[in-house]
């Protein structure tokens, strides 16, 4: 996709965050990422029963969620995947419901082979929460994500809904959405993709399971993993290609290191 078209996609997101529409965002506390849903029976003053102990993830593995960063906060990810590749993502919370960032994929960085980059390996990131969820409805967000890495497709333009539930083990979240990496020559039956994920927060850990790239000619990809939070750092281990339906691909392991801070 050429850069001019990408600019016109992201421009409406930026315009939505300008005054006077942004006044609603500024009036809210910076709660988008760290809020967990309170049940109807929970007292608002009971923090231990209404707020999760870990940040709500911006992504469950590869799958995006509908949550955003608090204002003046930042989040960074380093994903180490097979073949010595590294994917770097950095996001800045501009408004409580909007963040923008950048991603760089460097395949084969670790090792002795040549490092080859293409223009698609550097991408913009952006997400706007268009509806903040409540006890009856999920949060809904639209955004742009990329690049492709570790055998998967680029996310591209997406819309996602996320809903949280309180369980005896901790806070659980369900995420589902649609995306397409193709815009200029988009054909619905060929280029539309679907994804879904479930996450569970237990103490200082988050477990997840995801199914991605529905409607792909080779079938969806399945992955699972966990993250352990040691404020402000978190470490994660993911297991991908569980179904082995992409040319009988073996299960691969991916290590993630993340940082949450402020600016």
């Amino acid at each position: 996709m050429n850069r001019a078209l990408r600019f016109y996609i992201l421009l409406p997101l930026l315009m939505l965050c300008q005054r006077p529409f942004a006044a609603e965002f500024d009036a809210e506390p910076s709660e988008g990422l760290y809020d967990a849903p309170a049940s109807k029976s929970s007292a608002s003053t009971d923090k231990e029963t209404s707020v999760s102990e870990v940040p709500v993830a911006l992504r469950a593995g590869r799958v995006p969620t509908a949550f955003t960063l608090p204002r003046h906060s930042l989040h960074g990810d380093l994903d180490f995947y097979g073949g010595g590749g590294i994917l770097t993502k950095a996001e800045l919370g501009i408004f409580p419901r909007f963040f923008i960032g950048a991603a760089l994929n460097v395949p084969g960085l670790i090792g002795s082979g040549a490092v080859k980059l293409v223009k698609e390996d550097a991408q913009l990131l952006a997400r706007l929460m268009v509806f903040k969820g409540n006890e009856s409805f999920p949060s809904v967000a639209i955004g742009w994500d990329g690049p492709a890495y570790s055998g998967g497709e680029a996310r591209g333009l997406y819309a996602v809904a996320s809903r949280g539930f309180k369980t005896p083990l901790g806070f659980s979240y369900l995420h589902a959405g649609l995306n397409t990496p193709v815009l200029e020559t988009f054909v619905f039956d060929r280029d539309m993709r679907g994804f879904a994920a479930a996450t569970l927060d237990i103490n200082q850990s988050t477990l997840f399971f995801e199914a991605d790239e529905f409607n792909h000619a080779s079938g969806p990809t399945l992955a699972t993993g966990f993250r352990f939070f040691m404020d402000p750092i978190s470490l994660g281990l993911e297991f991908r290609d569980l179904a082995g339906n992409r040319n009988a691909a073996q299960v691969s392991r991916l290590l993630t290191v993340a940082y949450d801070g402020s600016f």
Side-chain angles (χ1 to χ4, degrees):
M1 186 183 67
N2 61 55
R3 295 187 178 183
L5 182 57
R6 186 181 306 149
F7 172 79
Y8 287 117
I9 293 170
L10 294 176
L11 183 59
L13 299 182
L14 294 172
M15 292 178 64
L16 282 174
C17 290
Q18 301 302 312
R19 306 282 183 179
F21 188 69
E24 177 189 351
F25 292 174
D26 289 343
E28 298 179 3
S30 296
E31 59 184 5
L33 178 61
Y34 296 94
D35 268 8
S39 65
K40 292 183 179 180
S41 60
S42 297
S44 60
T45 58
D46 188 358
K47 186 178 181 66
E48 292 184 357
T49 61
S50 63
V51 179
S52 176
E53 295 183 29
V54 302
V56 176
L58 296 181
R59 288 172 288 274
R62 274 203 187 102
V63 166
T65 73
F67 301 113
T68 54
L69 287 164
R71 191 178 184 186
H72 301 310
S73 64
L74 62 89
H75 177 83
D77 278 310
L78 284 175
D79 290 349
F80 300 86
Y81 61 88
I86 296 179
L87 175 72
T88 303
K89 289 187 175 182
E91 294 107 348
L92 300 177
I94 306 301
F95 295 98
R97 295 194 193 181
F98 177 77
F99 71 70
I100 193 168
L104 177 64
N105 176 50
V106 187
L109 179 63
I110 300 174
S112 58
V115 176
K116 297 181 180 179
L117 293 174
V118 297
K119 63 180 182 178
E120 288 79 15
D121 284 326
Q123 294 275 347
L124 292 174
L125 305 174
R127 183 181 302 166
L128 173 68
M129 182 189 289
V130 295
F131 178 78
K132 189 176 188 299
N134 53 40
E135 295 174 346
S136 302
F137 298 98
S139 296
V140 178
I142 57 174
W144 179 271
D145 199 351
Y149 71 104
S150 188
E153 292 183 327
R155 180 72 50 197
L157 184 66
Y158 66 87
V160 59
S162 296
R163 177 74 187 277
F165 306 89
K166 187 182 176 184
T167 70
L169 294 177
F171 286 98
S172 178
Y173 299 86
L174 299 179
H175 318 278
L178 298 172
N179 72 283
T180 178
V182 179
L183 294 179
E184 294 175 315
T185 59
F186 175 78
V187 177
F188 185 89
D189 292 341
R190 181 193 65 194
D191 301 317
M192 182 59 70
R193 300 285 184 261
F195 57 86
T199 59
L200 175 63
D201 296 345
I202 303 177
N203 294 326
Q204 293 178 275
S205 300
T206 294
L207 310 178
F208 79 87
F209 178 82
E210 69 171 38
D212 198 6
E213 297 182 13
F214 288 108
N215 197 41
H216 191 283
S218 299
T221 63
L222 303 178
T224 188
F226 68 91
R227 284 196 179 192
F228 182 73
F229 294 85
M230 303 168 290
D231 187 25
I233 302 294
S234 65
L235 300 176
L237 181 62
E238 302 176 12
F239 300 89
R240 299 198 177 279
D241 303 312
L242 297 181
N245 55 359
R246 298 291 179 90
N247 299 318
Q250 294 182 341
V251 174
S252 61
R253 296 172 297 277
L254 183 151
L255 176 66
T256 298
V257 180
Y259 171 82
D260 288 280
S262 59
F263 64 93

